[in-house]
Amino acid sequence: MKNVAVFCGSSNGQVQTIIDQAYELGVYLAKNSLTLVYGGSKIGLMGQVAKGVIEKNGNAIGVIPDFLKTKEIVHPDLTELIVTSNMHERKVIMYKKSDAFIIIPGGFGTMDEFFEIATWGQLGLHSKPIAILNMNGYYDHLISQCKTMVKAGLLKAINLDALIIEDSLEAVFHQIHNYEPQPVPKWLNIDRV
């Protein structure tokens, strides 16, 4: 594993613990020679993760759609900046450049990225680890909703179990390093996707 995508908010939010933990995630990546792949911004939680990486001399690859370059304010000290034509292309490039995905607090954009990459995994389009780093209990309700979906028979338990869900950085990376992918669904014909 060399590159880790982090999906998170372009705002800091109001919980200092989460802001601090986002920065510490960046520090951890740099200290463990893992390249950050993220949305390219210098603001919000995205900026905190990048700040942690860059301040510890790590590598950060930013991927941003052209129309967001001004709004999200591109980080000036990135190792590499990739400008895409749209949001979907952004997600595809982040997927291709990453060996694992970590979801930390964010809003609709983060949820979109999480659910799309989780769905791609469910469909067998990739077998890369996906981790929810549940900072400060931020995703407790989302995790509960996923369990409700399983109970209702609308999500298979095997697909929920394929996600790494942990409250600490160390536990997330322990699980990522020991990740064993689920088998590709037998009903899926990759050639038709």
Side-chain angles (χ1 to χ4, degrees):
M1 183 174 61
K2 295 180 181 178
N3 298 347
V4 176
V6 176
F7 298 137
C8 60
S10 59
S11 300
N12 274 330
Q14 301 174 350
V15 182
Q16 189 62 46
T17 305
I18 291 174
I19 296 168
D20 295 342
Q21 289 175 329
Y23 174 82
E24 287 304 318
L25 172 56
V27 169
Y28 183 95
L29 292 171
K31 286 185 174 180
N32 288 278
S33 301
L34 296 168
T35 296
L36 168 66
V37 179
Y38 83 117
S41 180
K42 73 174 187 177
I43 60 173
L45 296 178
M46 285 197 286
Q48 292 298 322
V49 178
K51 180 180 176 184
V53 168
I54 292 165
E55 285 185 356
K56 298 301 178 189
N57 300 311
N59 294 318
I61 299 171
V63 186
I64 193 165
D66 187 57
F67 77 94
L68 282 180
K69 278 172 47 182
T70 303
K71 182 172 175 42
E72 289 189 352
I73 310 172
V74 173
H75 200 296
D77 300 320
L78 298 175
T79 309
E80 180 182 358
L81 176 65
I82 299 167
V83 180
T84 66
S85 58
N86 57 52
M87 293 293 283
H88 182 71
E89 184 183 357
R90 177 195 222 181
K91 288 184 281 190
V92 170
I93 289 173
M94 290 179 75
Y95 155 72
K96 286 181 178 178
K97 291 208 165 273
S98 302
D99 302 309
F101 306 92
I102 298 177
I103 292 81
I104 66 171
F108 282 159
T110 303
M111 292 297 90
D112 172 60
E113 292 163 332
F114 163 61
F115 281 115
E116 185 152 7
I117 206 68
T119 300
W120 291 358
Q122 175 181 311
L123 293 174
L125 300 177
H126 76 83
S127 58
K128 301 173 184 181
I130 303 167
I132 295 174
L133 179 49
N134 191 21
M135 297 175 168
N136 207 45
Y138 184 82
Y139 285 118
D140 286 351
H141 294 291
L142 175 66
I143 295 161
S144 178
Q145 177 59 40
C146 289
K147 290 176 180 176
T148 297
M149 292 157 67
V150 170
K151 187 175 179 183
L154 296 168
L155 175 66
K156 292 186 181 196
I158 192 171
N159 294 319
L160 179 56
D161 293 343
L163 300 176
I164 296 165
I165 302 171
E166 295 288 352
D167 296 334
S168 77
L169 199 52
E170 295 76 16
V172 158
F173 279 98
H174 175 77
Q175 293 286 347
I176 286 174
H177 288 298
N178 293 297
Y179 179 76
E180 292 187 27
Q182 301 289 334
V184 174
K186 291 178 181 167
W187 57 267
L188 185 66
N189 180 344
I190 291 288
D191 295 331
R192 295 179 62 192
V193 177

